[in-house]
Amino acid sequence: MIRVRVVVMLILAGLVLLLGACGSDDTEADSTTGGSLALPADFPSQVPVIEGAVLAVGGTAKEGWNLTIAGRADAGDPFDNASTQLLDAGFTEQFQRQEGAESVKGFVTEAEGKRYTVVIGTTEASVSGPTAITYQVSQS
């Protein structure tokens, strides 16, 4: 129970930190949405992300990646879509937690000799709006 609360707190802290992150101006956006930031060049292709505008992005393969994506309003529930994409890509759900308007899920998979851990989170109170999904991704 304490571990789940720590993860929820990390996600919420990540949301705050991600909003202050900035992308590179010399790379092309990896999204069809205007104004979207580019995903890092080393972001793993094994990790699917929802369609939408990449609002904040940061990290490296060594330290892990974090990003916030505002899902397309016409694409349904972005949190459900993110979960479904990860499951369809072979990830296994490790935990889920919902407390009020905050939702968090953790996933893991092994691909090409690496282990990928992904934690997604959302909150209706996000300054990015209720369609914003935060991803924390690590590989080992």
Side-chain angles (χ1 to χ4, degrees):
M1 185 67 148
I2 291 174
R3 183 176 178 191
V4 172
R5 287 181 189 238
V6 168
V7 170
V8 170
M9 294 305 295
L10 287 172
I11 289 291
L12 293 177
L15 279 170
V16 171
L17 292 173
L18 288 173
L19 292 174
C22 60
S24 172
D25 292 336
D26 61 350
T27 59
E28 195 170 312
D30 192 16
S31 172
T32 58
T33 305
S36 182
L37 299 173
L39 292 177
D42 64 349
F43 189 81
S45 61
Q46 296 82 355
V47 179
V49 296
I50 60 171
E51 282 188 55
V54 180
L55 304 176
V57 63
T60 64
K62 183 178 179 179
E63 46 188 47
W65 302 269
N66 49 60
L67 53 138
T68 300
I69 300 177
R72 290 186 15 218
D74 63 347
D77 184 295
F79 191 72
D80 289 344
N81 292 344
S83 297
T84 299
Q85 285 181 339
L86 288 163
L87 292 171
D88 289 350
F91 282 78
T92 303
E93 186 176 313
Q94 297 294 298
F95 68 87
Q96 65 178 344
R97 174 79 177 178
Q98 180 154 0
E99 193 168 308
E102 300 166 0
S103 300
V104 178
K105 286 186 180 182
F107 299 86
V108 67
T109 194
E110 295 203 18
E112 300 175 14
K114 295 182 180 176
R115 180 179 176 91
Y116 296 93
T117 303
V118 178
V119 177
I120 59 171
T122 189
T123 179
E124 290 179 19
S126 170
V127 295
S128 302
T131 66
I133 303 297
T134 297
Y135 290 78
Q136 291 184 332
V137 180
S138 64
Q139 74 180 17
S140 55

